[in-house]
Amino acid sequence: MKKSVLTYTYVLPRLMASLLIFAMVGCVSDDTDFSDIISDNEKVDVPDIEIDNTDLVEPTEIIDELDNDYVENSPFTNQVAIVYNGTTATVSGDVDDVDVVISGAHVIIDSYSKEVEYLVSGSSSNGSLKIYSSYKFQLTLAGLTLTNPEGAAINNQAGKHMYVVLAPGSVNTITDGEEYASETSEDEKGAFFSEGQIVFSGTGELRVYGKHRHAIASDDYIIFRPGSKFYVNSTAGHGIKANDGIDIRGSVINAEVSFRGSKGINTDGYINVSGGRTTVITTGQSIVEGNDTTSCAAMKCDSTFTITAGTLRLKSTGMGGKAINATKSITIGGGDITAVTLGEKGIGAPKTIKSDEDIIVSAGKLFCYSAYSKPLDADGSLVIGSGWTKYKKTERFVILEY
């Protein structure tokens, strides 16, 4: 439900030194007069957002020696090597406190040992890796191509940190099957699944294809550190899904999802973006179940959305689609956002950036375009900070630069 009384605040540059407050009663609309800022006949070119896997130069990462999310702060001195070779797999190394079950190329690890690094490589079109562990561990992918036709390809059943390190120069491809063999009491929510936290690092590349549910999924939070490259694709669920939150500190991330009502990046918690280049494209249509409508979104969170640095390129083409959709406030305090929604109005309302609370813009660059609806929609207050160098706004787009 939208609030009965809403306040939209726009703070113009210091040279204009004025504060305009518009109190609006009843239905939400955005009819603020910006005729003094943009001419009536000015047009805008909508950029074509495409997947971008080009290299990205990123700032040197500062590692907090007290932060448990950094793999560098946890020594993993015991190494277990897992090598896939077609229909078989071998496990070797420090396995004294590790129980191993191998069936063809399906490997189950049950570890009671601390400080274990699993070094995984090779290829199988009918294999998987499931890990049980009493302790956090490092999973190093060093040139792995793994498909499980009947379930998750990588399945961490430990509610502990899983530090995923992409070995330098490696290309790793993970794929699940369109149908899972059985549904058990264990979660198996995507091609690359973890009960615990996932922290990605390294300078390799990871490609994940979700054909039954999500591509990458965690029942905790997911962190992307600088230096890696990711491509995720889901035809049956979300691209990247985390229960507790998603923290994008760096890396090149590309996500494409086509399933109806799906999200490129989705979490029940927060989304924080402080680096990297993230490109998300959704093409699915909306879902109607009773009185509820679920639309696609490039990025969706059920808490706060914050960006302070980094680049976002977001596009949603299905009916009612959104680029950024947050249940709580959206804060744009830096970074470079290009967000485009091309879907028509119908059973879902297309909004490029949508918050159930406030949208606050204080720094960075923003290009926001909606083909059939308003580009910025806040159920609370829409606050544009002072000091911008460029501000253009019409019924369908907003361009803002600091």
Side-chain angles (χ1 to χ4, degrees):
M1 294 292 293
K2 296 186 184 295
K3 301 178 182 178
S4 59
V5 179
L6 301 177
T7 301
Y8 282 55
T9 305
Y10 299 85
V11 184
L12 302 184
R14 296 183 182 91
L15 292 176
M16 300 179 71
S18 61
L19 178 66
L20 305 179
I21 302 177
F22 300 86
M24 307 174 63
V25 181
C27 296
V28 174
S29 63
D30 193 358
D31 55 1
T32 307
D33 182 10
F34 280 85
S35 58
D36 59 334
I37 300 175
I38 181 170
S39 61
D40 292 337
N41 58 3
E42 185 167 353
K43 297 181 179 180
V44 60
D45 293 326
V46 180
D48 186 17
I49 296 174
E50 298 179 341
I51 296 302
D52 184 359
N53 199 45
T54 58
D55 292 340
L56 177 66
V57 178
E58 301 186 74
T60 301
E61 187 178 22
I62 299 174
I63 297 175
D64 184 348
E65 295 181 355
L66 301 178
D67 192 337
N68 192 44
D69 287 328
Y70 290 95
V71 65
E72 291 86 350
N73 297 335
S74 300
F76 294 100
T77 57
N78 300 312
Q79 188 177 87
V80 175
I82 304 169
V83 180
Y84 290 89
N85 185 11
T87 58
T88 63
T90 58
V91 178
S92 61
D94 299 319
V95 295
D96 291 343
D97 295 318
V98 175
D99 293 334
V100 179
V101 177
I102 302 176
S103 177
H106 295 273
V107 178
I108 299 176
I109 299 286
D110 196 347
S111 174
Y112 308 95
S113 178
K114 295 181 179 180
E115 302 177 353
V116 178
E117 175 194 5
Y118 300 98
L119 179 62
V120 191
S121 62
S123 177
S124 175
S125 59
N126 188 5
S128 64
L129 174 61
K130 181 186 288 189
I131 297 177
Y132 300 90
S133 179
S134 302
Y135 304 96
K136 60 187 178 181
F137 61 90
Q138 177 177 331
L139 181 69
T140 301
L141 304 183
L144 174 67
T145 300
L146 189 62
T147 298
N148 183 3
E150 299 183 337
I154 291 183
N155 186 350
N156 170 33
Q157 285 296 312
K160 307 292 183 181
H161 271 78
M162 178 169 67
Y163 302 96
V164 180
V165 179
L166 306 179
S170 67
V171 177
N172 308 277
T173 303
I174 306 299
T175 310
D176 67 353
E178 294 183 3
E179 297 292 336
Y180 285 11
S182 63
E183 298 292 341
T184 67
S185 59
E186 291 183 346
D187 285 334
E188 198 172 6
K189 297 180 178 178
F192 193 115
F193 173 70
S194 176
E195 286 282 357
Q197 306 94 331
I198 305 176
V199 182
F200 288 108
S201 64
T203 56
E205 184 171 345
L206 177 62
R207 302 171 181 173
V208 185
Y209 297 85
K211 297 184 177 181
H212 179 72
R213 293 194 68 185
H214 314 314
I216 299 174
S218 169
D219 274 352
D220 210 289
Y221 59 77
I222 300 176
I223 296 175
F224 295 90
R225 293 175 55 190
S228 307
K229 286 186 176 182
F230 298 87
Y231 175 76
V232 297
N233 182 296
S234 179
T235 56
H238 306 316
I240 299 169
K241 164 67 177 176
N243 280 6
D244 292 352
I246 294 175
D247 191 349
I248 301 175
R249 302 177 183 178
S251 289
V252 173
I253 302 172
N254 288 291
E256 292 184 285
V257 296
S258 56
F259 191 64
R260 60 187 186 276
S262 61
K263 281 70 177 173
I265 296 176
N266 179 260
T267 175
D268 300 337
Y270 60 87
I271 292 178
N272 291 335
V273 181
S274 58
R277 183 181 68 234
T278 302
T279 303
V280 183
I281 299 173
T282 73
T283 57
Q285 301 299 323
S286 299
I287 302 174
V288 178
E289 296 178 346
N291 295 324
D292 294 329
T293 300
T294 302
S295 300
C296 286
M299 303 182 82
K300 170 68 167 66
C301 61
D302 290 337
S303 183
T304 58
F305 180 99
T306 305
I307 177 171
T308 55
T311 300
L312 298 181
R313 298 288 181 262
L314 312 174
K315 179 171 69 174
S316 185
T317 63
M319 182 179 293
K322 298 169 180 64
I324 299 174
N325 189 2
T327 299
K328 295 187 179 180
S329 63
I330 294 174
T331 302
I332 301 172
D336 185 350
I337 301 175
T338 301
V340 173
T341 52
L342 304 178
E344 297 183 0
K345 287 185 178 180
I347 55 178
K351 306 288 178 61
T352 310
I353 297 181
K354 171 71 172 70
S355 170
D356 292 351
E357 294 186 356
D358 304 329
I359 298 176
I360 303 168
V361 185
S362 61
K365 295 175 62 177
L366 175 64
F367 180 101
C368 189
Y369 173 80
S370 177
Y372 296 95
S373 186
K374 65 172 61 177
L376 297 177
D377 184 25
D379 282 359
S381 297
L382 174 58
V383 181
I384 307 298
S386 62
W388 40 264
T389 59
K390 183 178 183 180
Y391 189 6
K392 298 182 179 181
K393 180 179 184 295
T394 69
E395 186 180 30
R396 294 288 176 258
F397 77 87
V398 172
I399 299 176
L400 185 60
E401 295 182 12
Y402 283 83

